[in-house]
Amino acid sequence: MFDRYESGEQAVLVHINFTQEGEWEDLSEFEMLVSSAGVNALQVVTGSRQSPHPKYYVGEGKAQEIAQVVQLTGADIVIFNHALSPAQERNLEGLCKCRVLDRTGLILDIFAQRARTHEGKLQVELAQLRHISTRLIRGWTHLERQKGGIGLRGPGETQLETDRRLLRDRIKAILRRLEKVAKQREQGRRARNRAEIPTISLVGYTNAGKSTLFNRITEAGVYAADQLFATLDPTLRKIQLADVGPAILADTVGFIRHLPHDLVAAFKATLQETQEADILLHVVDASDDRFRENIQAVHDVLEEIDADEVPSLTVMNKIDNLEGQRPRIERDDEGVPRAVWVSAMEGQGIELLFEALTERLASQMVQYQLRIPPQFQGRFRSTFFQMNCIQREEYDSEGNLLIDIRMQQVDWSRLEKREGAVLSDFIVT
């Protein structure tokens, strides 16, 4: 096996159109991803297939064409706009005599370049190691067995087995360190819950303008650029909302179609801010022709991280790129705000966004009086104290605990989901 290049700056891009909808990708988005990675695209090879070829992903004729283009252009890397299996990647590398990278590897590379915080770097390394672990090959045939001198001979370990063991050890070490970070985040969330401070999490397709909106609302000065995955590390800032008081606004990493599963798993601690939010601000680039598909892609990722039931408010951003669109609030049949049209870049409609947020958060508080039998009192009383939602409590003549609670609707829904029908039976009507 030839030496793998550390990095490839000159690339041949490969984009295949499939008749199967699940395999379909966007070429313009792929070119933006490549540009975001700092790679110079020399040529784009396109083609059409009904389904991927098991050996080369593309047909054998197309694979030969890619190899010829690599030879003619002098490219040192081939990047596919699709997820390749380890065998396909290896077969293509043997044919093209250069490194081959798939869409997942490209996204991981962009994340590696953008990680700034200690946690972000750990998460990216974890995702990369999990991806690499499926792609280890026998590149060390001259070290078939590690052998020593007299008294040390034996079957030993192949170099491949050594590499796998070292990878496993490193992954375990990273997971331990990320567990510590997750505990620190959990302490911060508990403190906010005790203070009854609602959390608003910005979510959306990559390059929808989340960081620009975040800066406009908070004046935080977070890095924002017209490129994919400009934001990687989450940022939290406190804002003030009329009739609600202080709230925490969280800027998170952007989503994309077919976001690698390794990445979702690695960024679990970061995405926890989205799962535990009281409301999601789903930022959409209204000027993108494919904004509906982008909205669906975000919903798919939210479902994957169990955040699809968190209430959301859609923010149709970049109206300055559209003709005839003015800032406004869209309401549903009950008059509840469901979407706000704004321009984060120009600062248009921001006061309407605050108005809609205030309405949504103020209306999301619920109050109940519960009658809890003695056998359940310890468990539920402890839970309500941790949530800091108890208004009043006393005992009746039968030893039942009468307790008045007030909390966010989303917290009550989570509690109901966790405890089942038991909790509903305690409500005093």
Side-chain angles (χ1 to χ4, degrees), residues 132-161:
I132 291 167
S133 65
T134 63
R135 284 160 165 73
L136 286 177
I137 56 170
R138 294 174 87 91
W140 300 79
T141 49
H142 61 292
L143 294 176
E144 184 60 25
R145 295 281 171 186
Q146 293 178 351
K147 296 176 181 176
I150 295 173
L152 295 174
R153 300 182 197 278
E157 209 177 32
T158 65
Q159 185 65 43
L160 185 60
E161 288 164 346

Side-chain angles (χ1 to χ4, degrees), residues 298-335:
V298 171
H299 282 309
D300 291 343
V301 178
L302 290 175
E303 201 171 328
E304 193 174 341
I305 63 173
D306 296 325
D308 52 317
E309 292 186 14
V310 179
S312 68
L313 175 66
T314 304
V315 181
M316 301 299 286
N317 191 25
K318 303 191 183 182
I319 61 169
D320 52 307
N321 294 338
L322 297 170
E323 285 186 22
Q325 289 289 356
R326 300 183 65 80
R328 68 183 191 277
I329 297 176
E330 267 183 34
R331 298 178 183 273
D332 60 18
D333 296 337
E334 297 173 359

Side-chain angles (χ1 to χ4, degrees), residues 8-26:
E9 296 301 318
Q10 309 297 320
V12 169
L13 311 185
V14 181
H15 173 79
I16 306 298
N17 290 310
F18 287 95
T19 51
Q20 297 175 8
E21 195 173 329
E23 299 289 341
W24 185 81
E25 299 289 1
D26 179 29

Side-chain angles (χ1 to χ4, degrees), residues 370-371 373 416 420-428:
L370 307 178
R371 183 184 287 111
E416 268 190 321
V422 180
L423 199 59
S424 301
D425 294 341
F426 299 154
I427 298 174
V428 177

Side-chain angles (χ1 to χ4, degrees), residues 11-199:
V12 169
L13 311 185
V14 181
H15 173 79
I16 306 298
N17 290 310
F18 287 95
T19 51
Q20 297 175 8
E21 195 173 329
E23 299 289 341
W24 185 81
E25 299 289 1
D26 179 29
L27 178 56
S28 59
E29 181 181 89
F30 177 44
E31 289 172 334
M32 281 186 73
L33 275 172
V34 170
S35 174
S36 295
V39 175
N40 180 29
L42 299 175
Q43 194 167 327
V44 181
V45 178
T46 58
S48 299
R49 282 188 69 84
Q50 287 209 330
S51 60
H53 189 281
K55 186 175 183 182
Y56 292 120
Y57 194 87
V58 295
E60 292 201 22
K62 183 62 71 174
Q64 292 290 347
E65 182 190 331
I66 294 166
Q68 287 171 7
V69 171
V70 168
Q71 198 172 4
L72 288 170
T73 58
D76 49 22
I77 189 166
V78 176
I79 306 177
F80 273 69
N81 190 21
H82 313 275
L84 302 177
S85 71
Q88 288 165 342
E89 203 171 282
R90 192 160 61 248
N91 293 336
L92 285 161
E93 286 185 338
L95 185 67
C96 298
K97 297 292 183 288
C98 72
R99 192 177 169 207
V100 174
L101 196 67
D102 67 355
R103 181 183 170 88
T104 301
L106 177 63
I107 293 172
L108 287 172
D109 184 74
I110 294 169
F111 272 57
Q113 291 180 41
R114 302 280 157 75
R116 292 290 175 270
T117 65
H118 175 64
E119 180 190 4
K121 288 173 183 174
L122 285 176
Q123 287 170 327
V124 171
E125 186 182 352
L126 177 62
Q128 285 181 319
L129 291 177
R130 281 175 169 163
H131 184 65
I132 291 167
S133 65
T134 63
R135 284 160 165 73
L136 286 177
I137 56 170
R138 294 174 87 91
W140 300 79
T141 49
H142 61 292
L143 294 176
E144 184 60 25
R145 295 281 171 186
Q146 293 178 351
K147 296 176 181 176
I150 295 173
L152 295 174
R153 300 182 197 278
E157 209 177 32
T158 65
Q159 185 65 43
L160 185 60
E161 288 164 346
T162 305
D163 291 345
R164 283 185 177 141
R165 177 171 51 77
L166 291 171
L167 268 177
R168 282 196 302 271
D169 291 345
R170 180 62 183 158
I171 286 172
K172 284 177 187 173
I174 292 173
L175 285 171
R176 281 196 298 270
R177 288 159 79 177
L178 282 173
E179 203 174 324
K180 289 182 183 176
V181 175
K183 284 177 183 174
Q184 290 168 348
R185 284 190 174 279
E186 185 58 38
Q187 285 174 343
R189 273 192 291 274
R190 279 205 208 106
R192 294 200 296 272
N193 285 338
R194 281 197 296 272
E196 290 189 349
I197 298 177
T199 302

